[in-house]
Every structure is written in structure tokens, then in C-alpha cells.
Amino acid sequence: LRRLLSLDTASVELGNYGTHRENSMINIPVSSAFALRIAANANNRDGYIKLNDGGTPRNDEHDKSVRIRGLYTFSEDTSLLLGVTGSTVGGVGYSTVPLVNVLDNSSGTAQRVGFSNPFGGHLDDDYRAFNTTFKTAFGGVSLTYTGGVSDFSAREQTSATFDPAANLSPGGEPQYAWRNYRGNFKTYSNELRLANAEPGVFDWVLGANYLSEDIHESDHNLNALVSDPTIAGSVNAIDPVNQTTHKSAGLFGQATYHLNEQWALTAGVRYSDDKLKRVGNFQAGPSPDCTDALVDCIGGPNNGSESGTKITYRLGAQYFISPGQMLYGTIATGYKPGGFNDFDPVTHGVGPYVAEQLTDYELGYKGRWSERIEFDSNLFYYDYAKDQISSLTLVGGSPVIFTRSVPAKIYGWENQLTYKITPSDLLNASVSFERSKYGQFMTGILQNVDWTGYSLDKTPHAVVKLGYSHEWTLGSGAYVNANVSSQYSTGYAVSDFVNAIQYRQKAYTRSDANLTYTAASDHYWFQLFVQNIENKVQITSVGGNADAGISEPRYFGVRFGVRMQ
């Protein structure tokens, strides 16, 4: 914050899909010891998923946020940073398209057409947060405390845009699917860190953290016959009503010992303690007791609890070939707490899943060969003893999130090159290779289809990226920068876990370009840009109703901004 006290900025972005985005920031040096920063942004864009009846497009954005931060500097070593954030999220909301559109159409426009749904959608979400960071130093030790409180409230009505014929009633009639969701999430977080104040032969950090979450949810999932698309005619699909609490505490420490100018060794350890508890109920429909679509449908108990502790570690070594070149190797373990499902398709009740566990092996090189060339290379191997896989399962034809933990492995090789060809020309290039496979994994609605050895989702075998930029300096001192970049990716798998089908996203390219003019004073700039020149979308997820989530289509427009010294 102190580094930017003299800089105020504002920018505007205008693009297709009715896009207009505004950002502004002002820094106020109230005194020599106290400064304020106020930042605000608004983000508005119409949806890019069109509906076959010409209705309001989906996947739009209508967001606003404001952040105020104040920094008080008591001394060179001691400061207090306070911040408050408020934001809103609106719009129609996210949706999918029929999978056949993406698989069978080469046209980007045809890929983005979904089925209309008379229940429409609207989001009304609010986020509020307060954060603080206190820093000081004494006796060669630095102390940092960070804490925060956040409150997120969601009031959402969404509706599916897949083919209603893929969502049949018990009587075999096509149905519209829609959802009415209410949720409130309160989070409290605290972390305290101690570390050496100045770099030395022995660098270290010790700390503790505590997080607490309280979540209230009422999730109405509903179906309505195409012949009677009304709220009164809707019947419940699934209806969980829950209160969930999550508490997480940890102790951690890490130290790096610099043996000499060439060798450094690192060791770290963390102890984690997690507790998860839920009290609530779950009703699967259609239920004759649920006669009002917007009133909680109270079903059987949906209670559960999970707890666990885990010690994870990190070991590493760095060897400096020269001041600008380094070899390194690390072995680290990771952990993510377990939980429980509303519905397990095998037990037909609440079902727990265990914690995620990972061992990460990495060997790499980082090097600056000259003022013009930098090259990084990294080999990695992720061994998941347990990998949490979340997907949808079906309860009486209605989808519900289902998580299970399975063994998996991901390994690969990543390389990145930055080459400053001339003072005005810059080349960026990267290439990565990746492989993945499940261990023993049974999937499908009854978990009776063996996917052992199958590839994990969205892990292409190779990705190549190239970027080039050139800068012209004009006689006035202003300058113009042109940048083009493109990414090529081989195909990858995307899974429908309900029906035990893996679909294949074909190999593709995505290319971007921009042209920027900046005034000699740096006080203002102007940019023309285009993203995804090819205007093709890729599959990002597959649902159980023959529908798919997709990436964004071509986006283009102008940006301009001012900087005031």
C-alpha cells in the first residue's frame, strides 16, 4: 500500500455481449503515518449462452464491489492494516448446454444454444468482510497476525437449459428442472506467524491458525412438467435443509538452512485438526407432503459428523549453480479434510468420504542465462493416496452432489522460456506434458463400472503456448505495444460419472491479441483487444442430463484508463 500512495487509477472496458466494466482506485495520504485506499469496480456483461426461444441469455455477469483499506504505520517495523469489503452478485446465472451441441457443431454460435426454461433465473448474493493484518518486529523476530470475518448470503433461483426430454418424470413425461436456493456462510479466521526478521544463514517461520465456519442452507430442487410449467405444478426433486459447522486448527513450522553459497536445505511440518458437523434433513421427491415449491420440504434426518487430524511435511534442497541458476527438489505431503454426502447411491443414506491425501515430488531448474533469456523446467509427480472426486448422482431421477475418495496419479514435465530478442521484442513460450490415471475406481449410478486406469478429467497430454510482443516508441515519447499469443492443447477427457461415460474434448487452439497505446507521461492509455479469436468453446464439465458446461466464446472490445501521479 505504501508503495502506491501517490498513484490513483481508473479504467473502463467496453466489449461485445453488452460488456461494460469500470475500475477505480484512490489513495489518500491522510498523514505521514496514516493512509487510506478506496477501490471500487463494477462488472456487467450479458450472457453468452443463447436460448432457443430468444429468452434472456445465460452465463451473464452483474457484480459490484467496494473495498476500503487503512494503513497506520507506528514505526519502521510496526504497522496495522484494516480493511472492509462489500460486494454484490446479480444476473440470471450460470447454465449448461446440450452436450450434443458441443460435440456435433463446429460453429461457436451453434455450440452455445440451450433450451428455454420458463422458470428463468436471478441471483441476489451479498458478501461482506472485515480483515486486519498487524506486523511488528522485536529482538530479530518478526510477528504477523492476520484475521478476518466474512458473511456471504445467497438468494438464487436458477433453471436448467438442457433438453427437458433428458429429464423425464416417473410417468415418462419431459420436465423442466429448476432450483431455489438460500444460503448463509459466516467465516472467522485467525493466523499468527513468527519468523526471523532479517534473512540469514538460518531462516525460519512458526505459526498457528484457527478457522470456524457456520453454514445454513435450504436447497429446493424442483421439476415441472412441460405441459404444466408453473410453480404450483412443480414437485420437489431433492430438498436438503442443513446447518453445517466446520472448525479447523493448525500448527506449522518451516526452516531453511543455508549451508554455503551453493546449498540450502528446507524442512517443514504442519499439524491439522478438522471437525465437521451437520444437523438437518433431506427429502427426495416427488413427495406428496411437499405441496408448496418454495417452502422447506422436511424429510428424514440428514445428520452427520467427521473429524480428523493429520501431520504433513515438506522437505527440499536447493543448489545454486551460479547466482542466476538453481536446481531444486522437494517432497511434500498434502491433506484436505473429509466430509459426508447427503445421499450415497449404495447405502441410500448419508455417507462419509475420507480425507484427501497427496504426496508431491518435484525436481526442477530455474535459470537466468543472461539479461535476455530466462528458462524454467519442472518435473512433477502427484501421488494421491485419496483424491476427492465430486460429481452428480441421481436420487429418483434428481441430481445431487456426491463425493468419493479414490487413488489417482498425475505426473508431467513443464517448461517455460522468456527471450528478450531485442529491447523492443519479447518472446514467451511454454510447453507442458501431463499424464494421469485413476487407481481402483468404481463409478456409475451404482458404482459398479470399473474405471481403473482411466484418465482424470481435463488433463491434456500436451499444451504449447507462444506469445510475442513488440513495442514502438513514437517521436512524442508515447509508445505502442502489440501482443499476440496462442495456446494449443491436445484433447482431454470429461466425465459423466452418473452414466459412467467419458467424453472427449478434441484438440483445440485459443488465441488472443491486443494493441495498447500509452502516453509519454504514462497518465493515460488505450487498448484494443480480442480473446479467443477462433470463437470455439470447449467442454469444461458434463452433467447427468446429457448437458455440458462450456468455456467462454470470442470476446473483444476496448479498454482505456488514466493514472494520476
Side-chain angles (χ1 to χ4, degrees):
L1 182 66
R2 283 175 289 184
R3 182 174 62 86
L4 296 173
L5 282 178
S6 62
L7 183 64
D8 299 335
T9 65
S11 65
V12 175
E13 177 178 308
L14 302 174
N16 57 332
Y17 298 103
T19 301
H20 59 96
R21 294 169 173 152
E22 299 83 27
N23 295 276
S24 61
M25 179 183 68
I26 182 170
N27 295 283
I28 307 171
V30 180
S31 69
S32 60
F34 182 61
L36 280 174
R37 168 179 287 183
I38 303 173
N41 78 291
N43 177 20
N44 292 277
R45 186 195 66 188
D46 296 336
Y48 55 82
I49 290 184
K50 311 296 183 181
L51 301 184
N52 60 357
D53 70 345
T56 304
R58 304 298 180 88
N59 290 23
D60 58 342
E61 296 176 351
H62 295 281
D63 317 323
K64 298 180 178 65
S65 67
V66 176
R67 173 176 292 173
I68 302 174
R69 306 179 80 180
L71 176 67
Y72 191 88
T73 304
F74 298 92
S75 67
E76 183 179 353
D77 295 325
T78 304
S79 64
L80 176 65
L81 178 65
L82 301 174
V84 60
T85 302
S87 62
T88 63
V89 177
V92 181
Y94 172 81
S95 198
T96 59
V97 297
L99 180 61
V100 66
N101 286 12
V102 192
L103 295 176
D104 295 348
N105 289 292
S106 58
S107 165
T109 301
Q111 290 175 314
R112 296 183 281 107
V113 177
F115 282 82
S116 63
N117 191 312
F119 293 94
H122 61 267
L123 306 181
D124 183 13
D125 300 344
D126 295 296
Y127 175 78
R128 299 163 296 279
F130 171 79
N131 303 93
T132 181
T133 300
F134 175 74
K135 294 182 179 181
T136 191
F138 50 88
V141 176
S142 69
L143 180 148
T144 303
Y145 166 79
T146 59
V149 179
S150 67
D151 187 350
F152 174 71
S153 297
R155 297 167 294 278
E156 303 176 353
Q157 179 171 308
T158 56
S159 59
T161 54
F162 51 70
D163 187 348
N167 180 37
L168 298 179
S169 72
E173 299 177 75
Q175 301 178 113
Y176 293 115
W178 63 289
R179 181 187 188 206
N180 189 276
Y181 176 83
R182 299 290 184 269
N184 182 254
F185 302 73
K186 287 186 170 63
T187 305
Y188 307 86
S189 62
N190 299 273
E191 182 176 286
L192 181 68
R193 297 191 307 273
L194 297 172
N196 53 305
E198 299 293 337
V201 175
F202 188 70
D203 295 326
W204 58 273
V205 60
L206 294 172
N209 71 279
Y210 179 77
L211 179 143
S212 174
E213 290 182 304
D214 188 11
I215 304 169
H216 293 256
E217 296 180 284
S218 174
D219 191 2
H220 304 263
N221 292 261
L222 301 134
N223 290 308
L225 297 177
V226 170
S227 59
D228 184 17
T230 63
I231 294 178
S234 299
V235 296
N236 74 302
I238 61 168
D239 198 350
V241 181
N242 302 315
Q243 178 182 358
T244 305
T245 57
H246 175 215
K247 300 182 185 301
S248 178
L251 299 171
F252 58 89
Q254 182 168 297
T256 298
Y257 179 54
H258 302 272
L259 282 74
N260 50 46
E261 292 184 354
Q262 290 183 302
W263 281 98
L265 302 176
T266 299
V269 64
R270 177 183 179 87
Y271 170 80
S272 301
D273 186 325
D274 290 276
K275 293 180 175 62
L276 191 68
K277 182 179 180 180
R278 184 176 64 195
V279 176
N281 59 82
F282 178 84
Q283 176 66 62
S287 170
D289 298 325
C290 300
T291 57
D292 189 327
L294 302 181
V295 174
D296 289 342
C297 185
I298 305 302
N302 195 32
N303 307 328
S305 62
E306 281 290 310
S307 63
T309 61
K310 185 69 176 179
I311 295 176
T312 54
Y313 65 85
R314 176 184 178 87
L315 300 172
Q318 303 88 43
Y319 176 72
F320 294 88
I321 303 170
S322 68
Q325 300 185 68
M326 178 185 74
L327 292 171
Y328 65 92
T330 61
I331 301 174
T333 58
Y335 157 82
K336 181 180 177 182
F340 43 88
N341 294 294
D342 290 310
F343 180 84
D344 186 307
V346 174
T347 65
H348 296 276
V350 175
Y353 56 89
V354 300
E356 187 168 273
Q357 300 178 48
L358 164 70
T359 303
D360 168 21
Y361 304 89
E362 293 191 34
L363 183 64
Y365 166 85
K366 292 182 180 290
R368 177 179 289 232
W369 297 347
S370 68
E371 292 299 318
R372 297 168 57 187
I373 300 177
E374 293 184 27
F375 177 70
D376 298 337
S377 184
N378 175 49
L379 291 164
F380 65 90
Y381 184 92
Y382 299 156
D383 184 359
Y384 284 91
K386 298 291 182 182
D387 184 15
Q388 291 175 2
I389 305 295
S390 294
S391 62
L392 294 177
T393 188
L394 295 180
V395 182
S398 301
V400 60
I401 292 291
F402 175 62
T403 302
R404 86 291 309 265
S405 298
V406 299
K409 299 184 188 301
I410 305 175
Y411 52 96
W413 182 26
E414 299 175 330
N415 302 273
Q416 183 168 331
L417 172 70
T418 301
Y419 177 32
K420 194 166 188 177
I421 304 169
T422 72
S424 301
D425 298 272
L426 181 66
L427 175 69
N428 289 291
S430 68
V431 58
S432 60
F433 305 97
E434 189 174 38
R435 294 290 189 275
S436 66
K437 63 179 180 180
Y438 291 114
Q440 185 176 3
F441 180 27
M442 305 299 291
T443 191
I445 188 64
L446 298 177
Q447 299 182 47
N448 59 353
V449 181
D450 190 356
W451 273 16
T452 301
Y454 278 42
S455 171
L456 276 68
D457 281 11
K458 293 183 287 188
T459 53
H461 287 175
V463 177
V464 179
K465 298 179 183 179
L466 288 174
Y468 172 76
S469 65
H470 178 80
E471 186 171 283
W472 295 270
T473 301
L474 307 181
S476 63
Y479 52 96
V480 175
N481 182 275
N483 180 76
V484 293
S485 62
S486 186
Q487 170 183 306
Y488 167 79
S489 173
T490 60
Y492 56 77
V494 189
S495 299
D496 173 357
F497 294 101
V498 174
N499 299 300
I501 301 173
Q502 271 202 339
Y503 294 94
R504 190 77 181 169
Q505 166 60 53
K506 297 178 182 178
Y508 66 91
T509 63
R510 286 179 72 92
S511 305
D512 305 328
N514 61 64
L515 183 68
T516 307
Y517 170 86
T518 305
S521 63
D522 277 341
H523 284 176
Y524 62 91
W525 56 271
F526 179 87
Q527 182 184 82
L528 302 172
F529 70 90
V530 57
Q531 299 170 355
N532 188 9
I533 297 172
E534 295 86 347
N535 197 29
K536 299 292 180 62
V537 300
Q538 288 76 51
I539 304 171
T540 58
S541 63
V542 176
N545 294 98
D547 59 314
I550 58 173
S551 58
E552 295 187 356
R554 181 189 296 139
Y555 175 53
F556 59 87
V558 298
R559 301 182 179 112
F560 51 93
V562 296
R563 306 182 184 97
M564 294 174 284
Q565 299 290 340

